[in-house]
């Protein structure tokens, strides 16, 4: 059998041409299309991955913000509760202080009223005692109560302690102001002269005495010299009576 080399070569050429044509117009476009498609798919997959990553990032950020918001909300509630507790404590403390201040003012008012009432009662009693004593002395001896008080006061001066006498002498020698005699009632000239004579005799004082009236003595007379004094008054007896009465009342309870 003879081989037709021309035919073989022609077929070979045709095959090569066909292969070139297929490669040129079929395989390359298909491969290019497949490559572009793969690139597009890879790009879309990458985009999807980026979107998913961004979504996850946003989700994490949103969760973080929600957690921060929850924590801030919880802290705000806690702070509000703490502030309410502090405000309540402050209001209670202010209420206690106002109550204590009101109670103290009430106690001071009651004490002041009690002291005022006691002073008025003591003054009324002393006035009544003074009036009764004056009437009794006038009825019994014909002399006034003022004279009797002056006599008792002069006797008290004569019985002064030697140390008090020395202290009062020194006080007069160091003070330019004359000694003061205060009495609840006005002293007549004769009574002033009598007291002046006794003071001169007891304290060896040649200074003229000053005489004043004072309603706080409750039926009495007082000689004062630079912080030193000698006095006699009905108040001392009233104080003793008041003390004794209080002790008797406490014992009765």
């Amino acid at each position: 059998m003879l081989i037709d080399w021309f035919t073989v070569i022609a077929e070979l050429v045709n095959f090569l041409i066909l292969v070139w044509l297929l490669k040129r117009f079929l395989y390359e476009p298909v491969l290019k299309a497949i490559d572009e498609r793969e690139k597009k798919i890879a790009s879309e997959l990458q985009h999807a991955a980026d979107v998913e990553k961004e979504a996850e990032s946003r989700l994490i950020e949103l969760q973080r913000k929600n957690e921060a918001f929850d924590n801030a909300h919880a802290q705000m509630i806690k702070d509000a509760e703490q502030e309410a507790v502090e405000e309540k404590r402050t209001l209670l403390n202010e209420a206690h202080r106002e109550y204590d201040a009101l109670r103290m003012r009430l106690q001071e008012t009651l004490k002041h009223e009690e002291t005022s009432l006691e002073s008025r009662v003591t003054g009324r009693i002393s006035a009544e005692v003074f009036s009764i004593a004056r009437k009794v002395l006038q009825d019994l001896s014909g002399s006034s109560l003022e004279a009797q008080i002056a006599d008792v006061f002069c006797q008290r001066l004569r019985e002064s302690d030697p140390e008090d006498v020395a202290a009062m002498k020194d006080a007069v020698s160091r003070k330019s102001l004359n000694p003061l005699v205060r009495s609840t009632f006005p002293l007549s000239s004769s009574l002033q002269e009598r007291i002046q004579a006794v003071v001169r005799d007891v304290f060896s004082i040649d200074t003229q005495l000053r005489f004043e009236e004072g309603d706080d003595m409750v039926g009495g007379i007082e000689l004062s010299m630079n912080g030193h004094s000698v006095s006699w008054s009905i108040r001392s007896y009233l104080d003793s009576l008041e003390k004794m009465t209080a002790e008797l009342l406490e014992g009765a309870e």
Side-chain angles (χ1 to χ4, degrees):
M1 180 177 180
L2 295 174
I3 300 173
D4 189 355
W5 293 102
F6 178 79
T7 303
V8 171
I9 294 171
E11 292 290 340
L12 180 59
V13 171
N14 289 333
F15 177 75
L16 292 173
I17 292 172
L18 179 61
V19 170
W20 181 82
L21 290 172
L22 289 173
K23 180 180 179 183
R24 178 71 179 77
F25 297 102
L26 180 62
Y27 292 151
E28 286 185 0
V30 170
L31 291 174
K32 185 177 180 181
I34 291 173
D35 184 58
E36 291 178 354
R37 182 64 178 173
E38 288 179 349
K39 289 181 180 179
K40 184 177 181 181
I41 291 173
S43 177
E44 291 179 351
L45 290 175
Q46 182 64 36
H47 178 69
D50 293 339
V51 170
E52 182 180 2
K53 184 177 181 181
E54 183 180 358
E56 290 179 353
S57 177
R58 290 184 178 180
L59 179 61
I60 293 173
E61 180 67 17
L62 182 61
Q63 290 176 348
R64 186 185 65 78
K65 288 183 179 180
N66 287 336
E67 183 178 357
F69 176 78
D70 292 339
N71 292 335
H73 184 261
Q75 185 63 36
M76 288 176 61
I77 294 177
K78 183 177 179 181
D79 293 341
E81 292 177 348
Q82 183 66 28
E83 185 177 354
V85 171
E86 293 294 334
E87 184 68 17
K88 180 181 178 181
R89 184 181 295 111
T90 301
L91 292 176
L92 287 175
N93 290 335
E94 290 180 357
H96 283 305
R97 285 195 296 270
E98 291 179 359
Y99 169 76
D100 292 338
L102 180 61
R103 184 180 62 180
M104 290 182 64
R105 288 197 298 270
L106 180 60
Q107 290 178 348
E108 290 176 358
T109 301
L110 292 176
K111 185 177 180 180
H112 176 73
E113 291 180 355
E114 181 181 356
T115 303
S116 178
L117 178 60
E118 180 181 354
S119 177
R120 291 197 300 269
V121 171
T122 302
R124 182 65 180 273
I125 292 175
S126 63
E128 293 297 330
V129 171
F130 193 77
S131 176
I132 293 171
R134 179 185 287 109
K135 292 178 181 179
V136 170
L137 289 175
Q138 288 176 350
D139 292 340
L140 292 179
S141 62
S143 59
S144 67
L145 178 60
E146 289 83 353
Q148 293 292 328
I149 292 177
D151 289 340
V152 174
F153 177 67
C154 290
Q155 183 64 30
R156 176 66 59 86
L157 291 176
R158 293 188 182 93
E159 296 174 353
S160 297
D161 186 90
E163 294 182 0
D164 294 336
V165 173
M168 295 185 77
K169 285 182 180 180
D170 181 66
V172 172
S173 65
R174 290 187 294 105
K175 190 174 180 67
S176 59
L177 193 62
N178 295 350
L180 174 64
V181 175
R182 297 174 64 248
S183 59
T184 310
F185 46 87
L187 294 172
S188 62
S189 300
S190 59
L191 293 179
Q192 292 181 10
E193 292 176 359
R194 187 187 307 175
I195 294 173
Q196 179 79 52
V198 173
V199 171
R200 185 184 302 109
D201 180 55
V202 173
F203 298 98
S204 301
I205 297 174
D206 234 355
T207 307
Q208 181 64 36
L209 301 179
R210 294 179 296 124
F211 293 90
E212 291 182 1
E213 293 182 33
D215 56 0
D216 59 336
M217 303 250 337
V218 188
I221 305 177
E222 178 187 59
L223 170 67
S224 59
M225 302 180 186
N226 195 21
H228 301 277
S229 63
V230 178
S231 64
W232 182 93
S233 68
I234 298 176
R235 176 179 288 277
S236 60
Y237 297 99
L238 292 176
D239 291 340
S240 300
L241 178 61
E242 181 182 1
K243 182 178 179 181
M244 182 182 66
T245 303
E247 292 176 353
L248 290 175
L249 292 174
E250 290 179 359
E253 293 177 357

